[in-house]
mmCIF file of all heavy atoms in Angstrom:
data_model
loop_
_atom_site.group_PDB
_atom_site.id
_atom_site.type_symbol
_atom_site.label_atom_id
_atom_site.label_comp_id
_atom_site.label_asym_id
_atom_site.label_seq_id
_atom_site.Cartn_x
_atom_site.Cartn_y
_atom_site.Cartn_z
ATOM 1 N N LEU B 100 38.091 45.500 34.889
ATOM 2 C CA LEU B 100 39.263 44.637 35.015
ATOM 3 C C LEU B 100 39.509 43.947 33.683
ATOM 4 O O LEU B 100 38.676 43.174 33.209
ATOM 5 C CB LEU B 100 39.015 43.585 36.109
ATOM 6 C CG LEU B 100 40.134 42.587 36.362
ATOM 7 C CD1 LEU B 100 41.393 43.282 36.885
ATOM 8 C CD2 LEU B 100 39.668 41.513 37.359
ATOM 9 N N LYS B 101 40.676 44.271 33.093
ATOM 10 C CA LYS B 101 41.014 43.637 31.826
ATOM 11 C C LYS B 101 41.976 42.494 32.120
ATOM 12 O O LYS B 101 43.053 42.700 32.678
ATOM 13 C CB LYS B 101 41.646 44.659 30.872
ATOM 14 C CG LYS B 101 41.698 44.158 29.466
ATOM 15 C CD LYS B 101 41.758 45.291 28.452
ATOM 16 C CE LYS B 101 41.538 44.702 27.063
ATOM 17 N NZ LYS B 101 41.598 45.705 26.025
ATOM 18 N N LEU B 102 41.574 41.292 31.744
ATOM 19 C CA LEU B 102 42.272 40.085 32.195
ATOM 20 C C LEU B 102 43.351 39.637 31.217
ATOM 21 O O LEU B 102 43.233 39.820 30.002
ATOM 22 C CB LEU B 102 41.260 38.951 32.365
ATOM 23 C CG LEU B 102 40.153 39.211 33.388
ATOM 24 C CD1 LEU B 102 39.077 38.143 33.292
ATOM 25 C CD2 LEU B 102 40.744 39.278 34.795
ATOM 26 N N ALA B 103 44.375 39.018 31.790
ATOM 27 C CA ALA B 103 45.472 38.463 31.002
ATOM 28 C C ALA B 103 45.524 36.956 31.201
ATOM 29 O O ALA B 103 45.359 36.471 32.310
ATOM 30 C CB ALA B 103 46.794 39.089 31.443
ATOM 31 N N ARG B 104 45.747 36.236 30.090
ATOM 32 C CA ARG B 104 45.889 34.784 30.186
ATOM 33 C C ARG B 104 47.359 34.371 30.149
ATOM 34 O O ARG B 104 47.715 33.287 30.580
ATOM 35 C CB ARG B 104 45.155 34.101 29.033
ATOM 36 C CG ARG B 104 43.691 33.848 29.334
ATOM 37 C CD ARG B 104 42.952 33.269 28.143
ATOM 38 N NE ARG B 104 42.705 34.305 27.148
ATOM 39 C CZ ARG B 104 41.604 34.372 26.404
ATOM 40 N NH1 ARG B 104 40.673 33.449 26.520
ATOM 41 N NH2 ARG B 104 41.447 35.343 25.537
ATOM 42 N N THR B 105 48.191 35.258 29.593
ATOM 43 C CA THR B 105 49.602 34.911 29.414
ATOM 44 C C THR B 105 50.473 36.083 29.860
ATOM 45 O O THR B 105 49.984 37.209 30.052
ATOM 46 C CB THR B 105 49.918 34.652 27.928
ATOM 47 O OG1 THR B 105 49.655 35.880 27.221
ATOM 48 C CG2 THR B 105 49.050 33.542 27.365
ATOM 49 N N ALA B 106 51.752 35.791 30.002
ATOM 50 C CA ALA B 106 52.704 36.852 30.343
ATOM 51 C C ALA B 106 52.717 37.907 29.243
ATOM 52 O O ALA B 106 52.861 39.106 29.507
ATOM 53 C CB ALA B 106 54.096 36.260 30.542
ATOM 54 N N ALA B 107 52.563 37.447 28.003
ATOM 55 C CA ALA B 107 52.535 38.402 26.890
ATOM 56 C C ALA B 107 51.331 39.337 27.017
ATOM 57 O O ALA B 107 51.439 40.541 26.746
ATOM 58 C CB ALA B 107 52.485 37.643 25.561
ATOM 59 N N ASP B 108 50.205 38.792 27.459
ATOM 60 C CA ASP B 108 49.029 39.636 27.698
ATOM 61 C C ASP B 108 49.344 40.680 28.769
ATOM 62 O O ASP B 108 48.957 41.853 28.649
ATOM 63 C CB ASP B 108 47.834 38.790 28.189
ATOM 64 C CG ASP B 108 47.201 37.951 27.085
ATOM 65 O OD1 ASP B 108 47.499 38.217 25.910
ATOM 66 O OD2 ASP B 108 46.417 37.051 27.424
ATOM 67 N N MET B 109 50.009 40.247 29.830
ATOM 68 C CA MET B 109 50.366 41.173 30.912
ATOM 69 C C MET B 109 51.253 42.291 30.365
ATOM 70 O O MET B 109 51.089 43.461 30.718
ATOM 71 C CB MET B 109 51.082 40.445 32.056
ATOM 72 C CG MET B 109 50.194 39.582 32.948
ATOM 73 S SD MET B 109 48.860 40.481 33.790
ATOM 74 C CE MET B 109 49.722 41.201 35.184
ATOM 75 N N ASP B 110 52.197 41.919 29.498
ATOM 76 C CA ASP B 110 53.089 42.933 28.907
ATOM 77 C C ASP B 110 52.277 43.944 28.089
ATOM 78 O O ASP B 110 52.524 45.142 28.131
ATOM 79 C CB ASP B 110 54.133 42.257 28.005
ATOM 80 C CG ASP B 110 55.129 41.437 28.825
ATOM 81 O OD1 ASP B 110 55.155 41.625 30.067
ATOM 82 O OD2 ASP B 110 55.843 40.618 28.232
ATOM 83 N N GLU B 111 51.305 43.421 27.339
ATOM 84 C CA GLU B 111 50.458 44.305 26.547
ATOM 85 C C GLU B 111 49.694 45.284 27.446
ATOM 86 O O GLU B 111 49.594 46.479 27.150
ATOM 87 C CB GLU B 111 49.438 43.487 25.741
ATOM 88 C CG GLU B 111 50.001 42.696 24.588
ATOM 89 C CD GLU B 111 50.334 43.583 23.398
ATOM 90 O OE1 GLU B 111 49.714 44.663 23.282
ATOM 91 O OE2 GLU B 111 51.230 43.210 22.614
ATOM 92 N N LEU B 112 49.174 44.753 28.526
ATOM 93 C CA LEU B 112 48.408 45.603 29.447
ATOM 94 C C LEU B 112 49.313 46.665 30.068
ATOM 95 O O LEU B 112 48.925 47.827 30.210
ATOM 96 C CB LEU B 112 47.759 44.757 30.542
ATOM 97 C CG LEU B 112 46.595 43.853 30.086
ATOM 98 C CD1 LEU B 112 46.185 42.900 31.200
ATOM 99 C CD2 LEU B 112 45.406 44.703 29.637
ATOM 100 N N GLU B 113 50.532 46.264 30.432
ATOM 101 C CA GLU B 113 51.486 47.202 31.019
ATOM 102 C C GLU B 113 51.876 48.271 29.987
ATOM 103 O O GLU B 113 51.961 49.459 30.300
ATOM 104 C CB GLU B 113 52.716 46.430 31.519
ATOM 105 C CG GLU B 113 53.897 47.288 31.968
ATOM 106 C CD GLU B 113 53.560 48.278 33.091
ATOM 107 O OE1 GLU B 113 52.576 48.025 33.836
ATOM 108 O OE2 GLU B 113 54.245 49.317 33.192
ATOM 109 N N HIS B 114 52.056 47.824 28.758
ATOM 110 C CA HIS B 114 52.400 48.744 27.678
ATOM 111 C C HIS B 114 51.293 49.800 27.519
ATOM 112 O O HIS B 114 51.555 50.991 27.406
ATOM 113 C CB HIS B 114 52.575 47.937 26.391
ATOM 114 C CG HIS B 114 53.007 48.761 25.217
ATOM 115 N ND1 HIS B 114 54.173 49.506 25.208
ATOM 116 C CD2 HIS B 114 52.427 48.957 24.003
ATOM 117 C CE1 HIS B 114 54.289 50.133 24.057
ATOM 118 N NE2 HIS B 114 53.241 49.824 23.301
ATOM 119 N N TYR B 115 50.055 49.331 27.543
ATOM 120 C CA TYR B 115 48.923 50.249 27.410
ATOM 121 C C TYR B 115 48.886 51.218 28.586
ATOM 122 O O TYR B 115 48.622 52.413 28.427
ATOM 123 C CB TYR B 115 47.612 49.460 27.319
ATOM 124 C CG TYR B 115 46.405 50.365 27.111
ATOM 125 C CD1 TYR B 115 46.053 50.808 25.842
ATOM 126 C CD2 TYR B 115 45.634 50.793 28.192
ATOM 127 C CE1 TYR B 115 44.962 51.645 25.653
ATOM 128 C CE2 TYR B 115 44.531 51.629 28.005
ATOM 129 C CZ TYR B 115 44.207 52.055 26.736
ATOM 130 O OH TYR B 115 43.129 52.884 26.547
#
Side-chain angles (χ1 to χ4, degrees):
Chain B
L100 179 64
K101 194 156 191 181
L102 299 170
R104 273 176 285 216
T105 62
D108 286 346
M109 286 300 279
D110 291 346
E111 289 284 335
L112 290 171
E113 171 58 24
H114 183 59
Y115 183 84

